[in-house]
Amino acid sequence: TSIALRIVFDEPCVGDYNDDGEIDGNDLGVVLGAWGTNRPDFDLTGDGFIDGQDLATILGNWGVCTN
């Protein structure tokens, strides 16, 4: 007898700060509220700053998460 085991790890929905399965105005508000800081928990791009690149990530992922 053999057993097949499949483990699937869901990739996080980048920018979904409140884990509701969608990137929306709530998540946009989080990025805008952290704008100009260097808080790593809100830095989506990992460049050390909350800036236009993080905003672009939010807007690029806008809508229901598909993972």
Side-chain angles (χ1 to χ4, degrees):
T1 354
S2 64
I3 297 174
L5 178 64
R6 181 173 179 223
I7 300 174
V8 177
F9 295 97
D10 286 336
E11 291 185 24
C13 186
V14 176
D16 183 15
Y17 291 108
N18 60 356
D19 293 323
D20 67 353
E22 133 178 61
I23 308 297
D24 57 16
N26 294 319
D27 305 299
L28 175 61
V30 170
V31 168
L32 295 177
W35 192 267
T37 69
N38 62 351
R39 295 181 57 188
D41 48 336
F42 300 117
D43 182 9
L44 298 174
T45 60
D47 65 357
F49 300 98
I50 314 307
D51 57 13
Q53 291 180 13
D54 302 293
L55 177 60
T57 299
I58 287 285
L59 296 177
N61 291 337
W62 195 268
V64 176
C65 298
T66 58
N67 55 355

